[in-house]
């Protein structure tokens, strides 16, 4: 099922965050069970058997979920990616049975809902094409609280979320993985995570909505970048997607930066290069943090070879 909002209305409300500026207009479970053994450099958890996190997430809980973002001065370390290879892990793919997508509300990006204790939170995320057609990427802090914290739970992905509704339905999680350096040290250069999703109506998420490609080893200065997210702090309300277009540049020791006014809730959103259309491109980074003074910036460390290694481990 496509987004229920009529297409001409979605085209009318489709908007853009002005490149280089700070002004935005809209587009439109039970406890986790640790995996038996951590892989080199990463750790994963699996959903409990027969877990259906979607049964937890009512429309009211989704609407009131708290944005989970980190400011640039959040406590942690600025690490250094140890794997400096580069390449293409996967290529974009349209939904099964469709050759093109031109919907301004991105079907391959959406909201990631999760719980920490009894509180409900939300980040952004995006689909990634892989052999299993079941993968999304987000920020590491959207799945684990980092040093001194623990795993989040009840993960649900709602692609193309718009005004309380995902035209494709919500997908339960199956497996989540992030870096040990994030878990143990809140290492911002490894603030990335993958989540595999269960089928919905016997269809995998990438077959239903399409999947972005994944690249690693790209420089911090990238022209024609687009960042999607669901900012949820004033003046935004988290109900519609926004994007920023522009050229990224080096910031700090490992991060790329793009002037953009998106705020809490945008964490984990994809940074796309070589876009095919509004829905599809190659993800080279994911929103990690944002500045809270001066020119608003979104920050992310481009995917390293370590991210490619983690991508290869997402088989369940």
């Amino acid at each position: 099922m496509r987004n229920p909002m009529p297409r001409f209305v979605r085209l009318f409300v489709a908007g853009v965050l002005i490149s280089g500026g700070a002004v935005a207009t809209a587009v439109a479970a039970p406890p986790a069970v640790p995996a038996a053994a951590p892989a080199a450099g990463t750790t994963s958890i699996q959903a409990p058997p027969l877990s259906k996190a979607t049964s937890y997430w009512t429309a009211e809980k989704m609407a009131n979920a708290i944005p989970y973002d980190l400011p640039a001065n959040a406590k942690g370390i600025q690490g250094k990616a140890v794997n400096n290879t580069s390449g293409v892990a996967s290529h974009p793919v349209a939904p099964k049975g469709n050759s093109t997508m031109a919907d301004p509300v991105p079907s391959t990006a959406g909201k990631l809902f999760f719980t920490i204790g009894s509180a409900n939170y939300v980040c952004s995320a995006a689909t990634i094409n892989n052999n299993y057609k079941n993968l999304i990427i987000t920020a590491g802090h959207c799945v684990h609280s980092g040093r001194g914290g623990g795993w989040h739970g009840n993960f649900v992905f709602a692609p193309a979320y718009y005004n309380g509704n995902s035209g494709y339905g919500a997908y339960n999680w199956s497996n989540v993985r992030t870096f040990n350096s994030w878990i143990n040290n809140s290492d911002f250069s490894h603030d990335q995570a993958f989540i595999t999703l269960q089928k919905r109506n016997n269809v995998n998420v990438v077959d239903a909505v399409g999947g972005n490609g994944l690249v690693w080893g790209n420089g911090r200065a990238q022209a024609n970048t687009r960042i999607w997210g669901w900012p949820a702090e004033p003046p935004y309300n988290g109900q519609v997607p926004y994007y920023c277009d522009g050229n990224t540049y080096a910031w700090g020791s490992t991060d790329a930066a793009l002037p953009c006014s998106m705020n809490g809730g945008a964490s984990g959103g994809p940074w796309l290069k070589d876009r095919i259309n509004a829905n599809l491109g190659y993800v080279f980074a994911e929103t990690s943090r944002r500045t809270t003074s001066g020119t608003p910036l979104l920050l992310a460390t481009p995917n390293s070879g370590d991210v490619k290694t983690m991508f290869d481990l997402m088989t369940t």
Side-chain angles (χ1 to χ4, degrees):
M1 176 179 175
R2 298 288 293 174
N3 192 298
M5 184 171 56
R7 180 169 176 75
F8 77 91
V9 177
R10 281 181 278 158
L11 288 171
F12 177 76
V13 299
V16 60
L17 294 175
I18 299 172
S19 173
V23 179
T25 55
V27 280
V33 179
T42 66
T43 299
S44 71
I45 59 172
Q46 294 179 343
L50 304 179
S51 171
K52 293 294 181 185
T54 47
S55 64
Y56 171 84
W57 287 100
T58 63
E60 181 180 6
K61 287 178 178 177
M62 286 184 172
N64 295 322
I66 303 166
Y68 196 75
D69 272 32
L70 299 177
N73 62 354
K75 292 183 178 180
I77 65 172
Q78 284 271 329
K80 184 176 182 180
V82 297
N83 189 329
N84 294 318
T85 59
S86 63
V88 178
S90 69
H91 295 283
V93 62
K96 197 170 184 178
N98 293 274
S99 59
T100 61
M101 293 186 299
D103 195 331
V105 180
S107 65
T108 61
K111 298 186 76 168
L112 176 67
F113 297 95
F114 54 93
T115 57
I116 303 177
S118 61
N120 301 320
Y121 290 89
V122 64
C123 278
S124 299
T127 61
I128 297 294
N129 184 31
N130 71 347
N131 291 336
Y132 307 93
K133 308 299 180 183
N134 63 356
L135 191 64
I136 60 172
I137 194 168
T138 189
H141 71 265
C142 295
V143 304
H144 190 285
S145 296
R147 182 175 56 197
W151 290 99
H152 309 161
N154 288 316
F155 297 101
V156 162
F157 178 62
Y161 184 93
Y162 191 96
N163 280 339
N165 196 353
S166 169
Y168 302 91
Y171 286 79
N172 285 293
W173 71 295
S174 177
N175 181 275
V176 59
R177 184 180 293 273
T178 193
F179 290 106
N180 294 335
S181 57
W182 171 258
I183 293 171
N184 297 326
N185 299 309
S186 295
D187 176 0
F188 294 129
S189 68
H190 286 92
D191 186 16
Q192 302 97 11
F194 286 110
I195 301 174
T196 56
L197 303 173
Q198 300 175 34
K199 290 182 177 180
R200 185 178 185 277
N201 296 329
N202 207 35
V203 178
N204 280 312
V205 64
V206 170
D207 288 333
V209 307
N212 294 291
L214 183 75
V215 292
W216 81 92
N218 291 262
R220 293 189 281 167
Q222 293 292 327
N224 301 318
T225 293
R226 172 165 291 181
I227 304 174
W228 284 105
W230 272 257
E233 295 176 345
Y236 311 107
N237 63 8
Q239 295 302 299
V240 296
Y242 289 76
Y243 66 87
C244 283
D245 283 343
N247 302 328
T248 66
Y249 56 89
W251 192 93
S253 59
T254 65
D255 283 316
L258 182 71
C260 179
S261 66
M262 282 196 283
N263 53 28
S267 270
W271 293 38
L272 298 171
K273 59 175 294 182
D274 300 330
R275 285 182 292 112
I276 297 171
N277 56 35
N279 284 280
L280 288 172
Y282 290 87
V283 175
F284 76 94
E286 308 75 40
T287 299
S288 172
R289 305 182 319 289
R290 59 188 173 92
T291 58
T292 55
S293 62
T295 300
L297 301 174
L298 292 183
L299 306 174
T301 297
N303 298 331
S304 68
D306 297 335
V307 174
K308 168 58 166 59
T309 299
M310 183 163 60
F311 168 83
D312 290 337
L313 293 171
M314 303 306 295
T315 59
T316 60

